[in-house]
Amino acid sequence: MIDNSLPEGHRADLDRGVELIGGSNSSWEFSAWDNGIAHVGNQVNDYDLVHLATSAFAEYTPGHLKLIDQNVVRHLPGLNAALGHVDFYNEPMTVFGIPSQAWLRSSFIFLQPRHLKALGSMVCVPSGAPIFSGDPLAPFREDAPISRSYRQFLVGWLTAAGTAQGPGWHSRFDLTLETLPFFESKARAILNEQMLTNRLLAIGATIVDVTWLARKAKVADSLSLGDIPDWRTQIRPRVGAEFWRLLDGPGRGGRP
């Protein structure tokens, strides 16, 4: 367990098999995971799966974690896939030149040790990346490597403006000179979340929605990579008809 409110180098045994260490919090959960992976070292290769989670692991729906049972987990080591909750925008956004529309929420992700090794650092967008302008009225540089629609989304999601499709982030705030450093830090965390999925796809892994796999695992004795459909097919049964019309038609951007 990594606590970003504790200094790096802190270590304590909480219970048998439960160890607490400090994290840098330089890049939210992503730098914390780097701290944890470095602390475990090569022992991480002794495991079939690694479960990355944050304090928001239970935020989706009250019963979704119950879907991750023995029947689901037994399929994962045989798949070149990462498991989590697939979220999506209603239209593609461009991040560092990569069109992106769907991603795994960083609140809980199951993957294999070899994926961690291939990814290297969990931080893809470090502090100091050429993204922000320093101006709260126009917080992104003109040449920032993210699409304008994504810039608008980030501002709307995190600040009091909200988004065009409902409420924004639960802790949204006014964007001022005083709150600008926090805005930049949180925006980088969202970009790191998006890029984690992009990087998993780049190394050949597939993203798998936990609701889809739980349904599939009930009737399948075995799964292969070819059995995993596109993310749109995976999420179709769990999204409402209105959001599916938005997804299939002209998108307006935003989270469902």
Side-chain angles (χ1 to χ4, degrees):
M1 181 180 295
I2 307 103
D3 188 337
N4 277 337
S5 68
L6 297 173
E8 290 184 278
H10 178 92
R11 180 195 172 282
D13 291 320
L14 299 184
D15 200 348
R16 186 171 60 182
V18 181
E19 188 176 5
L20 174 68
I21 66 172
S24 72
N25 202 35
S26 60
S27 294
W28 295 56
E29 64 263 33
F30 304 94
S31 54
W33 289 336
D34 275 354
N35 291 136
I37 293 166
H39 184 76
V40 174
N42 290 331
Q43 291 181 13
V44 73
N45 297 316
D46 296 335
Y47 294 92
D48 296 314
L49 296 169
V50 177
H51 184 200
L52 303 175
T54 73
S55 57
F57 70 93
E59 289 298 318
Y60 173 47
T61 62
H64 75 281
L65 293 178
K66 295 179 181 178
L67 297 174
I68 308 174
D69 58 11
Q70 198 171 37
N71 196 36
V72 167
V73 172
R74 70 184 176 90
H75 289 291
L76 288 177
L79 298 175
N80 186 20
L83 178 74
H85 173 75
V86 174
D87 212 341
F88 63 93
Y89 301 113
N90 294 332
E91 61 183 13
M93 308 287 187
T94 302
V95 185
F96 296 100
I98 304 171
S100 302
Q101 189 168 3
W103 72 98
L104 292 176
R105 286 188 182 179
S106 61
S107 54
F108 67 97
I109 298 175
F110 283 89
L111 41 68
Q112 297 174 37
R114 61 191 178 92
H115 294 143
L116 291 178
K117 184 176 181 180
L119 289 170
S121 174
M122 303 299 290
V123 178
C124 181
V125 188
S127 176
I131 296 173
F132 304 107
S133 68
D135 180 4
L137 298 179
F140 295 99
R141 291 172 46 150
E142 280 296 319
D143 61 349
I146 56 178
S147 61
R148 293 195 179 276
S149 58
Y150 202 3
R151 302 179 200 190
Q152 294 169 357
F153 167 79
L154 289 170
V155 173
W157 179 256
L158 295 176
T159 73
T163 66
Q165 295 185 345
W169 187 41
H170 55 78
S171 301
R172 59 191 185 273
F173 52 90
D174 292 324
L175 185 52
T176 66
L177 192 61
E178 290 72 26
T179 62
L180 187 60
F182 181 75
F183 170 84
E184 294 178 357
S185 178
K186 181 58 182 176
R188 280 197 305 107
I190 294 174
L191 291 170
N192 271 312
E193 180 182 49
Q194 189 82 54
M195 286 302 297
L196 177 57
T197 290
N198 291 344
R199 294 168 69 206
L200 283 167
L201 295 174
I203 64 174
T206 302
I207 60 172
V208 177
D209 183 70
V210 61
T211 303
W212 176 85
L213 185 58
R215 186 181 297 111
K216 182 81 171 180
K218 288 181 179 179
V219 297
D221 292 330
S222 63
L223 292 171
S224 67
L225 189 61
D227 293 319
I228 303 175
D230 177 80
W231 63 269
R232 294 172 181 82
T233 301
Q234 292 185 45
I235 67 171
R236 183 180 284 272
R238 69 167 169 81
V239 299
E242 176 63 25
F243 284 118
W244 199 255
R245 283 193 292 271
L246 288 170
L247 192 62
D248 282 341
R252 293 181 294 170
R255 292 195 184 204

